[in-house]
Amino acid sequence: MKRINDIFYSLQGEGHHTGRAAVFVRFAGCNLRCPFCDTAFDTYREMTDDDIVAAITAYPARFVVLTGGEPTLQVDEAFVDLLHQYGFEVAMESNGTRPAPRNLDWLTVSPKQKPVKQHCHEVKVVFSENTDATTFGLEASYYYLQPCDTGDAERNAAIINRCVDYIKEHPEWRLSLQTHKLVGFK
């Protein structure tokens, strides 16, 4: 049984796959408690792997994003294999503090502390007023800075401006905006 916070169909709103139709499986529970996290940890339902597959195959996209919380607490290679058997391309968004299944098609690591994983497809750092963009030694094909959404328009504008300036000075980074919040979809 897996603890599932939510399963929904939308567009990927951030990072390399921005704008791509995706089924999101949001797992409950995390080993970190980041103040900007948008997941309600206390609300979840227990689902079997077959229940999850039945829910996500109801949608036309065959790109699934395993997110959380921290999905590595519940996802293993057997579950990824099962999703592959149903024709899904499997992406995961992780904080990198636990080993991720090796058979993922795409791994995004958003490090908040030294990760155990040393290779991933993309690194996404949430950027705020006090951020020093660091990869924590992660090797990736893409490095993104994502301005932290504080809920305060004036503060957000200042963070975005600082983020843009930082990227101009450090061109190995790319800007990732949370387009789902800008456009107004889940």
Side-chain angles (χ1 to χ4, degrees):
M1 297 292 276
K2 292 181 173 43
R3 292 171 296 138
I4 303 299
N5 177 274
D6 196 10
I7 294 176
F8 61 97
Y9 186 53
S10 190
L11 301 181
Q12 175 59 284
E14 56 198 43
H16 186 75
H17 293 285
T18 296
R20 186 172 180 190
V23 182
F24 291 83
V25 179
R26 186 177 299 278
F27 290 84
C30 186
N31 56 337
L32 301 178
R33 293 288 186 186
C34 303
F36 49 81
C37 185
D38 58 1
T39 300
F41 291 102
D42 299 331
T43 305
Y44 64 86
R45 65 183 184 263
E46 291 190 349
M47 298 178 73
T48 66
D49 291 355
D50 290 336
D51 293 336
I52 295 167
V53 168
I56 66 177
T57 56
Y59 300 107
R62 287 300 173 255
F63 180 58
V64 63
V65 179
L66 309 177
T67 187
E70 177 51 43
T72 61
L73 293 169
Q74 300 182 63
V75 175
D76 58 16
E77 290 181 12
F79 182 68
V80 175
D81 281 342
L82 178 66
L83 297 177
H84 284 151
Q85 288 171 16
Y86 281 85
F88 283 96
E89 180 181 352
V90 183
M92 178 181 282
E93 298 176 352
S94 172
N95 61 30
T97 58
R98 297 176 38 84
R102 292 173 291 177
N103 56 344
L104 293 166
D105 299 299
W106 188 267
L107 177 61
T108 300
V109 174
S110 184
K112 283 65 172 187
Q113 61 189 45
K114 180 89 173 133
V116 298
K117 181 79 177 166
Q118 294 304 308
H119 300 279
C120 60
H121 295 93
E122 73 179 309
V123 171
K124 181 184 69 180
V125 173
V126 178
F127 193 88
S128 68
E129 298 99 331
N130 304 317
T131 302
D132 286 325
T134 179
T135 66
F136 291 99
L138 283 165
E139 295 176 14
S141 300
Y142 303 95
Y143 297 91
Y144 290 97
L145 292 183
Q146 183 169 290
C148 184
D149 180 4
T150 66
D152 177 298
E154 188 174 315
R155 189 171 164 206
N156 285 354
I159 291 170
I160 290 170
N161 288 333
R162 184 172 180 272
C163 187
V164 167
D165 289 343
Y166 188 92
I167 292 169
K168 288 163 74 176
E169 293 174 18
H170 303 89
E172 65 274 17
W173 292 94
R174 296 178 181 195
L175 181 65
S176 174
L177 298 175
Q178 293 180 299
T179 59
H180 54 292
K181 290 184 180 180
L182 295 172
V183 176
F185 62 89
K186 185 175 184 178

